[in-house]
Amino acid sequence: PKVVQVCGGVHTTLSPDSCLEAKSLDCVFVGDSEYSFTDFLKKIENNQPWKDTENIAYNENGVMKKNKLRPLLTNEQLEKLPHPDRTTYPFEKVLQTVGMAPFHLTRGCPFTCTYCSNIGIAKVYGQTRYNIRQAGPEYAIQEIEEVIRQNPTIGPVYKISLTDDIFGLNKKWRREFLKLYRERIKIPFVCLLRCDVATEDTIQDLSLGYCDLIQFGVESGSDYIRNTVMDRNMPRQTIVDAFKLTKKYGIKTTAITIIGVPGETREMLLETVKLNRELNPTYSGVNIFYP
């Protein structure tokens, strides 16, 4: 009875009423909650009431109570956070399962794709876009170095995966990070890009900085599904050009697609197959849409 169980993340941010469904949870955290969670822990430690903590939602007699949200963390506040602690669980299993060491260096994405959690989180904060925030390049490099020291198989066995929704949109940040990466990390990495931000400038930077593979969100070969249903606002030729450009610089590619989107017909799905044939990526990744 003295144990207090809580949960946080994207799920509880988008669906805080999950606190009503999960009877064993005392509360859930919504949004950027690092500092709220610290306040919460201090209250627990001092046997103080905690239901006034910001960024939480909890079940009160079958009704969801949702407290005030703190503002989204700024770049400066992100700099002050410690790096994620990967020593409290078997990180080696993550490496074996994923085949790479994953790092997420940004929060947010300025695009408004209808199927993505980013636009949902923006709405939680009363915004139309969930703009990118990130700590500086030195902070990011130090996090990677720390994990490599703790896991010597990274490098000799495992690559690095930079899982930001779109890597390096900020040109100044990207170039400074890649310069430090070339000097201090020197391990092949994988990243994600949108085809419409794959400029020659960007791809050239990545080719100089140990980038082994770019995963592109192609999503659908159907213009209707891609642009009207998904709000990708991306011409077909832009996708074709991005893959040609990446091949020019000798970087491998993955074409990531989603099938089974509401309204998709068999003919639309075959358009996705045809586009993949034309792109001729190194790898194709197919995801089945689910709510």
Side-chain angles (χ1 to χ4, degrees):
K2 291 184 178 180
V3 173
V4 180
Q5 296 193 97
V6 304
C7 188
V10 173
H11 184 105
T12 59
T13 296
L14 297 181
S15 299
D17 57 354
S18 57
C19 68
L20 302 178
E21 302 163 17
K23 303 301 182 185
S24 60
L25 290 177
D26 292 279
C27 73
V28 298
F29 281 81
V30 178
D32 280 3
S33 299
E34 284 86 351
Y35 291 99
S36 298
F37 185 58
T38 304
D39 292 345
F40 172 81
L41 291 176
K42 287 176 182 174
K43 290 173 183 177
I44 295 291
E45 186 178 36
N46 296 320
N47 292 313
Q48 296 173 334
W50 51 262
K51 288 190 175 180
D52 61 346
T53 306
E54 293 173 318
N55 287 72
I56 70 166
Y58 58 93
N59 182 346
E60 190 166 273
N61 300 319
V63 177
M64 180 188 73
K65 296 287 185 179
K66 183 180 172 185
N67 291 354
K68 174 186 171 186
L69 288 178
R70 289 187 176 207
L72 288 166
L73 297 184
T74 63
N75 292 347
E76 292 74 22
Q77 287 174 312
L78 291 173
E79 284 268 5
K80 293 176 182 175
L81 292 176
H83 295 134
D85 180 7
R86 295 172 173 85
T87 64
T88 54
Y89 60 95
F91 190 64
E92 181 68 28
K93 285 189 178 180
V94 174
L95 296 175
Q96 293 169 3
T97 303
V98 180
M100 292 178 279
F103 295 87
H104 205 80
L105 308 177
T106 60
R107 298 190 187 193
C109 173
F111 295 96
T112 56
C113 307
T114 53
Y115 54 91
C116 181
S117 62
N118 282 314
I119 191 63
I121 296 170
K123 290 174 182 176
V124 169
Y125 279 91
Q127 300 175 357
T128 55
R129 293 178 187 272
Y130 189 45
N131 288 322
I132 286 178
R133 295 158 291 132
Q134 59 193 145
E138 176 62 31
Y139 178 96
I141 291 293
Q142 287 180 7
E143 178 183 342
I144 296 171
E145 287 177 327
E146 180 182 296
V147 178
I148 291 171
R149 283 195 299 271
Q150 295 165 352
N151 301 271
T153 54
I154 299 173
V157 179
Y158 300 107
K159 297 176 185 174
I160 284 172
S161 174
L162 304 179
T163 61
D164 302 20
D165 296 337
I166 304 174
F167 175 76
L169 269 183
N170 181 314
K171 182 175 178 179
K172 181 176 182 294
W173 189 98
R174 179 181 77 235
R175 290 197 161 168
E176 188 177 337
F177 173 84
L178 290 173
K179 178 178 181 293
L180 295 172
Y181 196 97
R182 285 194 298 271
E183 293 169 356
R184 291 158 54 182
I185 307 298
K186 302 177 182 179
I187 297 171
F189 71 86
V190 176
C191 67
L192 291 93
L193 280 185
R194 276 177 62 108
C195 293
D196 54 0
V197 301
T199 62
E200 185 131 11
D201 192 55
T202 302
I203 303 302
Q204 190 172 40
D205 284 351
L206 289 167
S207 71
L208 297 171
Y210 284 86
C211 180
D212 179 65
L213 169 73
I214 298 175
Q215 299 178 321
F216 284 109
V218 172
E219 312 307 14
S220 176
S222 162
D223 292 344
Y224 169 74
I225 292 293
R226 188 176 64 253
N227 297 326
T228 302
V229 177
M230 295 180 165
D231 193 27
R232 293 286 284 174
N233 192 28
M234 193 177 299
R236 190 177 191 279
Q237 192 59 44
T238 299
I239 299 171
V240 173
D241 290 345
F243 278 78
K244 285 180 180 176
L245 182 62
T246 307
K247 287 175 187 175
K248 172 185 169 182
Y249 282 94
I251 302 174
K252 296 196 286 285
T253 56
T254 298
I256 303 173
T257 56
I258 302 174
I259 63 172
V261 177
E264 183 182 58
T265 64
R266 175 183 171 82
E267 290 70 30
M268 292 172 182
L269 192 153
L270 289 175
E271 287 179 47
T272 300
V273 175
K274 290 173 186 174
L275 179 56
N276 269 265
R277 283 181 182 151
E278 182 176 350
L279 298 176
N280 191 25
T282 315
Y283 309 103
S284 287
V286 183
N287 302 289
I288 299 173
F289 176 86
Y290 61 93

